[in-house]
Amino acid sequence: MISVACVALCAQAGDDVQLYRNQVGCYPQQEKVVVVEGMNPSKKMRIITPDGEVVKAKSVRKAVSPLSGKTRYVVDLGDLSATGDYRVSLGTASCMLHVSKQPYHDIATSALRLFYLIRSGIPIEQGGVYNRPLGHADTHVLVHNSAASALRPAGSVISSPYGWYDAGDYNKYVVNSAFSQGLMFVAYEQQHDYFTTLKTNIPESGNATPDFLDEMMFNLKWLMTMQDPQDGGVYHKLTTPRFEGFVMPADCKQPRYVVQKSVTASLDFAAVMADAARLFEPYQQDYPGFAAQAAAMAERAYQWAKDNPTAFYRQSQLKNPTISTGEYGDRSAVDEFFWAASALYRLTGNKQYMEDAQQYKPKRFTTPTWGNVASLGALEWLTETIQGDEVLAFRDEMRKQLINYCEAAIKDVEISGFQSPYGNKAYDFGWGCLAEKCCCEAVLLLYADKLTGTTKYRRYALQNADYLLGRNATGHCFVTGFGDKSPMHPHHRPSAADKVEAPFPGMLVGGPNPGQQDKQTMKASYPSYVPDESYIDDAESYASNEIAINWNASLVAFLCWVDAI
Ligand SMILES: [Ca+2]
Ligand SMILES: [Ca+2]
């Protein structure tokens, strides 16, 4: 809810003409829309084609934002199917729209390559200006008293190297990294040919395994060390007691711990190891024995979760030392049980997993998040490789749920403020919304097309790309290193500490978040409380400008999929 005073102020601020458009680029056949603020563009907008021809816009529609009360105009530029740069001008404002055959290739590749740049426990030597020495070897990690077991009492030392740094910080969290991999595995399976040939210039680019899987393996190697070999339970995270300052990895000195085993970490681990066991099967040459080992680890972790179904991670109960880093807490493991049982059924065909999945299945399709992974479970059933009558019935149910979800998502596009499924409701905005809502919604739309053999939903998925890359109320392209107005100061420790002006490229920031949970600790103020404008490009803003592996995973799943089709 916004105040009357704000509406009046916002309405007056319209002297400047603003043009909002996708700053990265469009396909020749993609819908081309510019959103205008500050002037009615009817008859006054000029569009100059790459050949210098002046053409008229196809249509103009007025849209009043339910979030800010601002009046905007949604302009459909028309077909514009020739490749090249189109100049759009109105009053004193002008912008370029790039049309090309592979507009998303660079940004998609960069989003995936980001995972190389944030690898932990190795020196980065193929990162150009982002090269850095080894930090966080994690060969001397302490077992916290909350995680103690007979063979690993409190204070024992284990080795738990590699994996990706989670987000703006330097810790490694099982829940989030397993979720991130699960989400990217969905895209990998559905666009297999694309991913198997994609090169990302990483140390493993010369081997016989797709670079995508090599990158996944870098995190899987770490994940495997997070299972207690004695009982199969999985530590919730590997962490310092407190967040480090804004320093480089090599300068971090706090001790690192593994903490309490949790039901959610164990189940997410089980699901992603089951998926990995399947997906790495053909790549024994580079990773001998991995598939069998991952399958066995997955089943043990699942059994531990069945034996400890209420072992939720409770950070506030941890003492000596207390732990104050990201909690990734959860109150329901029903969705995690569903994902893990589904993935394990797919891997093993064991009826017990089918029965468990039936017990835990969701009633409707939801956008996947680290705390609610039910849809990752549903997608396990939607692949064509699972056979059998019982499976087909299950599959049909999940398919209906997905289509219902997609129909609801696209319902109001033709009256929306930015011509997109995402971004029209206040609840579209919150911590991590650009990933958890905008990108993940688009992935599900693309999935529905693939599943039903149509191209109906593709248009809407691309509209979310337009939103993400500049056609939104802030005018930002929300991926670092791309577009002409993108975040320069993400909440990301190495980007802030490395003395390189530009942040790591290919990072998706959290985005507009009216919750502003960080405002008390920031020197700067947010420009607005309006949900779709509550964003600030400030390194202190962890609530709107942080980066995270699950967010980049959704960007990879989305943009690589788009690039593939
Ligand atoms: Ca490779
Ligand atoms: Ca959950």
Side-chain angles (χ1 to χ4, degrees), residues 198-199 202-214 286-287:
L198 190 64
K199 289 283 179 197
I202 55 176
E204 302 84 3
S205 285
N207 69 9
T209 305
D211 286 0
F212 170 83
L213 287 183
D214 291 320
D286 290 320
Y287 302 108

Side-chain angles (χ1 to χ4, degrees), residues 201-389:
N201 181 26
I202 55 176
E204 302 84 3
S205 285
N207 69 9
T209 305
D211 286 0
F212 170 83
L213 287 183
D214 291 320
E215 195 57 61
M216 298 302 112
M217 180 58 80
F218 192 81
N219 199 61
L220 291 166
K221 281 193 297 184
W222 166 66
L223 272 179
M224 292 168 95
T225 70
M226 291 295 280
Q227 183 171 47
D228 184 342
Q230 194 183 355
D231 63 8
V234 177
Y235 305 117
H236 195 69
K237 59 179 177 173
L238 189 161
T239 183
T240 49
R242 288 164 287 108
F243 284 121
E244 295 281 2
F246 275 65
V247 297
M248 292 301 284
D251 299 326
C252 293
K253 303 289 182 239
Q254 285 191 55
R256 311 254 284 176
Y257 291 86
V258 289
V259 299
Q260 185 200 325
K261 292 168 222 169
S262 75
V263 61
T264 50
S266 298
L267 290 168
D268 288 339
F269 174 99
V272 87
M273 281 298 166
D275 283 347
R278 217 165 22 74
L279 299 175
F280 276 90
E281 236 290 312
Y283 301 102
Q284 300 284 341
Q285 184 185 340
D286 290 320
Y287 302 108
F290 171 79
Q293 193 184 357
M297 292 177 102
E299 293 210 85
R300 288 196 76 207
Y302 187 82
Q303 189 55 50
W304 187 91
K306 291 268 277 188
D307 296 341
N308 298 272
T310 59
F312 289 99
Y313 180 63
R314 291 285 176 257
Q315 185 150 287
S316 61
Q317 293 169 9
L318 270 53
K319 303 277 181 314
N320 302 318
T322 56
I323 305 289
S324 61
T325 54
E327 177 158 10
Y328 289 103
D330 205 329
R331 291 169 190 281
S332 168
V334 169
D335 52 300
E336 283 83 5
F337 268 111
F338 179 64
W339 182 28
S342 301
L344 279 163
Y345 178 72
R346 216 176 143 194
L347 176 69
T348 66
N350 180 333
K351 282 270 188 272
Q352 182 59 52
Y353 294 125
M354 160 72 90
E355 284 167 27
D356 286 5
Q358 290 282 8
Q359 181 189 338
Y360 295 118
K361 73 182 173 191
K363 291 191 174 56
R364 63 187 179 85
F365 219 95
T366 49
T367 317
T369 65
W370 63 260
N372 184 354
V373 296
S375 51
L376 293 185
L379 296 180
E380 301 276 5
W381 296 97
L382 288 176
T383 60
E384 42 287 80
T385 51
I386 310 182
Q387 303 294 329
D389 288 348

Side-chain angles (χ1 to χ4, degrees), residues 148-153 228 230:
S149 58
L151 296 182
R152 288 183 170 183
D228 184 342
Q230 194 183 355

Side-chain angles (χ1 to χ4, degrees), residues 158 209 224 298 408 410 501 517:
I158 66 166
T209 305
M224 292 168 95
I410 65 172
E501 189 186 0
Q517 292 87 344

Side-chain angles (χ1 to χ4, degrees), residues 43 72 80 104 134 138 168 177-178 187 196 212 221 266 287 293 309 324 333 345 367 406 429 446 452 455 491 512 528:
K43 297 181 185 149
R72 299 192 180 98
L80 310 186
Y104 301 111
L134 168 76
D138 284 339
S177 75
T196 51
F212 170 83
K221 281 193 297 184
S266 298
Y287 302 108
Q293 193 184 357
S324 61
Y345 178 72
T367 317
C406 291
F429 299 92
L446 293 168
T452 55
T455 54
H491 181 91
S528 171

